[in-house]
Amino acid sequence: MSPGTGAALRLLAASVDAKAVAEIGTGCGVSGIHLLHGMRPDGVLTTVDQEPEHQQSARQAFRDAGFAGNRARFIPGRALDVLPRLADAGYDLVFCDGDRQEYQDYLAESLRLLRPGGLVAFEGMFANGRTVDSGPQPTEVLRLRELVRAVRESTELVSSLLPVGDGLLCVVKR
């Protein structure tokens, strides 16, 4: 994750006064640390990842960054299996950094999870510059384009594609 993307996540979490954040794709914990820094002091980050090693690394990274153990909830598993078990309208922000081919499915689940005025952010929208190439594209890029089109055409969403890192699509639920 680029420093610019991390700073944007911190800002987004602070801008919605986030108390409850869901993260798809724990990774090594870098994005989670940025989100936690932007959240309210009593906020809890729920992070989902298929790889137990990622969650162990992130748990240690959060401790090393000075966050109490009760600030993060780690749920192992595939995002599309875990998300349906999370509370409707129970989250202020959802950050998606998982399988890009599943981003449209993540959008549907995120909109269910978010309170009105909540925000969902998708990392990697430029796909290393491939989303703007005019030639034949892999399925991943076509799915990202479909997501952008669906978000743009919705009257119930407000969105912006931020040119930080590899592209951060931010979507507010009205």
Side-chain angles (χ1 to χ4, degrees), residues 115-131:
R115 63 165 171 79
L119 186 145
V120 58
F122 295 88
E123 206 284 318
M125 293 303 298
F126 295 150
N128 297 314
R130 292 177 296 159
T131 54

Side-chain angles (χ1 to χ4, degrees), residues 4 29 35 93 117 143 155 172:
L35 289 164
L93 189 151
R143 298 281 295 169
T155 58
V172 175

Side-chain angles (χ1 to χ4, degrees), residues 45-82:
L45 172 69
T46 299
T47 185
V48 178
D49 202 297
Q50 288 183 206
E51 302 296 330
E53 307 83 43
H54 291 176
Q55 292 194 321
Q56 282 301 95
S57 295
R59 189 182 311 274
Q60 185 61 49
F62 294 172
R63 272 195 300 267
D64 292 347
F67 293 105
N70 65 350
R71 293 289 311 276
R73 178 171 71 145
F74 295 88
I75 303 177
R78 187 174 163 266
L80 293 176
D81 294 334
V82 172

Side-chain angles (χ1 to χ4, degrees), residues 87-111:
D88 292 1
Y91 293 84
D92 305 302
L93 189 151
V94 177
F95 175 59
C96 303
D97 190 12
D99 183 345
R100 292 179 186 158
Q101 295 194 51
E102 295 180 344
Y103 271 16
Q104 282 197 284
D105 298 320
Y106 296 167
L107 175 64
E109 283 297 319
S110 297
L111 294 176

